[in-house]
Amino acid sequence: MNSIRKLCLVPPFARNASSAPAEFVNRNPRNLERIRVARKPDGYHLDNPGRKFWHKLILTPSNRSIKAQLVHYLNGPVIEVKSSDWALQKQLYSTKDTCAYISVGQVFAQRCLEAGISEMYCDIQATKGGKIERLIKEVQNGGIKLKEPEVYKKPYPWDKHRPEKPWNVIEE
């Protein structure tokens, strides 16, 4: 009799007895940006263009070194690489020449991928054959896209073109 009572008291599904909360809380603040649903700051129509981004590449050359930053529109600098960093400076002949720009571009791309950021906005106008162009080329060769995707807008029922939903993964 005792064994039958024990069998009846066992919960039928293990999921009902789990301690997982019924409501899911997203603890990743960048998740909405990754699935292209988060709002991009537009500013006013009279403002200078170039303010509509989540992440932006900013390059700051100084007299002695160069600095590449990834700036989030809300939280400020996220990733920063300087040619005057000790580990990078030990490998360079000069912290201002073309080799320094190339090395900063490679390290910047690697740190961005390690942080999980593969797309950013870049409005830097580089001269052809210049140092800045070499840095941008190395960042792109490192696997970073220098154009952010557009924000997903829900299509109306009468729209002819319906874009693919970014959160749906289609396996080939």
Side-chain angles (χ1 to χ4, degrees):
M1 183 72 178
N2 269 343
S3 62
I4 295 174
R5 220 180 259 170
K6 286 181 185 177
L7 287 174
C8 293
L9 294 177
V10 173
F13 302 107
R15 196 175 90 171
N16 291 342
S18 69
S19 62
E23 186 175 313
F24 175 74
V25 178
N26 182 14
R27 295 174 60 189
N28 183 0
R30 306 278 190 262
N31 191 35
L32 295 177
E33 295 170 5
R34 301 279 296 164
I35 62 172
R36 299 180 8 209
V37 178
R39 184 185 73 80
K40 278 189 184 181
D42 284 340
Y44 295 102
H45 65 281
L46 295 175
D47 286 343
N48 290 336
R51 294 191 42 99
K52 191 173 182 178
F53 62 88
W54 288 309
H55 297 100
K56 182 178 182 178
L57 170 63
I58 295 180
L59 186 65
T60 311
S62 67
N63 290 338
R64 295 187 181 206
S65 65
I66 56 169
K67 177 171 66 170
Q69 281 185 327
L70 178 72
V71 177
H72 188 261
Y73 80 97
L74 196 59
N75 299 333
V78 178
I79 298 171
E80 181 177 281
V81 178
K82 295 180 185 177
S83 63
S84 62
D85 288 345
W86 183 80
L88 204 55
Q89 188 176 5
K90 292 287 276 185
Q91 303 294 324
L92 297 173
Y93 177 74
S94 171
T95 58
K96 193 73 175 155
D97 62 349
T98 306
C99 186
Y101 278 82
I102 292 171
S103 299
V104 166
Q106 291 172 347
V107 172
F108 182 77
Q110 179 183 358
R111 289 186 187 174
C112 286
L113 290 177
E114 288 172 358
I117 299 169
S118 60
E119 298 164 336
M120 65 185 71
Y121 173 72
C122 178
D123 61 351
I124 299 171
Q125 300 297 324
T127 58
K128 186 169 182 171
K131 298 176 187 178
I132 297 174
E133 184 189 28
R134 299 289 297 265
L135 182 134
I136 290 174
K137 183 177 162 188
E138 286 300 322
V139 169
Q140 289 175 336
N141 290 343
I144 305 294
K145 292 181 188 173
L146 294 179
K147 183 179 182 225
E148 284 187 336
E150 289 296 318
V151 177
Y152 176 77
K153 293 190 181 296
K154 184 178 176 184
Y156 293 109
W158 54 83
D159 285 346
K160 184 178 181 181
H161 175 67
R162 293 179 178 263
E164 180 180 329
K165 295 177 182 170
W167 53 86
N168 287 346
V169 179
I170 300 172
E171 296 182 16
E172 296 178 16

